[in-house]
Amino acid sequence: MSGGRTETGAGRELRSIGQLARRVGLPVGTVRFWSDTGILPPTQRSSGGFRLYDDAAVLRCELVLTLRELGLGLESIQEILAGQTTLARVAEVHVAALDAEMRTLRLRRAVLSTVARRGSTPEEALHLRKLVHLSVVERQRILEDSVDRTFAGTESDGDGSTVRDWMREICGTLPSEPTVEQVDAWVELADLVTDPEFEQRLRQMLTDDTDADLGYDLRPAVMQRAGHALAEGITPGSAQGREIVDRIVGPAPPSVRHALGLRLELLADESLERFWALAGVLQGHRPGPSAIPAFQWLIAGLHTETASPRTRHIFAADI
């Protein structure tokens, strides 16, 4: 033994387990454990049976230490050193795991910010925690169960399929770095899509063969003209109100307009509008003004043309 090293006949310099531990700055027990598990096998043993390690073992020990500091488990490290997998592959898996952990931490921060901002009660905070800490698989299962109930029996290749797929895509996850508003929106949306009344309303819209694009196509004119009429206090059944209705929907027999009003009643639903608004928040959009009051004004105007004078008066009074 010379200078803390043992000279072998082959000219290799060997270290005892204690000397190796001091060389790499680790406790002797850690190096001995790595050696016992086969991650750091001794180069040879002395005549007295003590483990000895050469310079290659020092490099191997330093590599194991580096991989442990990066968060890799001993099982993964052993597979890398045995050639059963590559460092690049293990690193890729750990990057994905770290990304998931970072998303969870950002999500927890957003939830805490939500609790702090709105002064949530302990019960509300617990509700938030339960919702947010559901695994991705559990959240997706809850959503898909709700969607499947809603769309069961609807056409697989029509509007129902499009809306169903879109709901699954939007509601299943939060953005990777959610804002406080997006956490609020997701919590509310999670409650909304699993509400039986919402499911029934959406299903009714789909099974009644209502044109889902109808409300979207009419929205600009309704918001401009009916919205102006509301602001000015113009009633739907008045002469000026009927003229505005004509400008929005164009010429059509009273029976056709009444049928249009019935179709719009299914679309002009506050819960459906809220769903689209919350989905927009999750996509980073700010919700616009509600279109429901303007559509209700138009619907009243469409129905008054086929109603009795008394009913016209009731519709006008409701607006």
Side-chain angles (χ1 to χ4, degrees), residues 41 46 144 257 311:
S46 69
E144 289 182 356
R257 292 194 178 193
T311 309

Side-chain angles (χ1 to χ4, degrees), residues 15 20-21 23-24 26 30-31 33-44 52-69 74-85 87:
R15 296 175 173 80
L20 174 60
R23 172 71 172 77
V24 297
L26 287 171
T30 299
V31 177
F33 177 73
W34 291 356
S35 185
D36 290 342
T37 57
I39 291 176
L40 189 65
T43 304
Q44 66 181 59
L52 300 173
Y53 302 87
D54 60 10
D55 288 340
V58 173
L59 295 176
R60 185 182 180 97
C61 186
E62 291 175 341
L63 173 60
V64 173
L65 176 59
T66 299
L67 295 177
R68 289 293 289 153
E69 290 175 344
L74 292 178
E75 184 177 351
S76 296
I77 293 174
Q78 195 160 20
E79 290 176 355
I80 292 171
L81 297 176
Q84 298 173 352
T85 186
L87 177 58

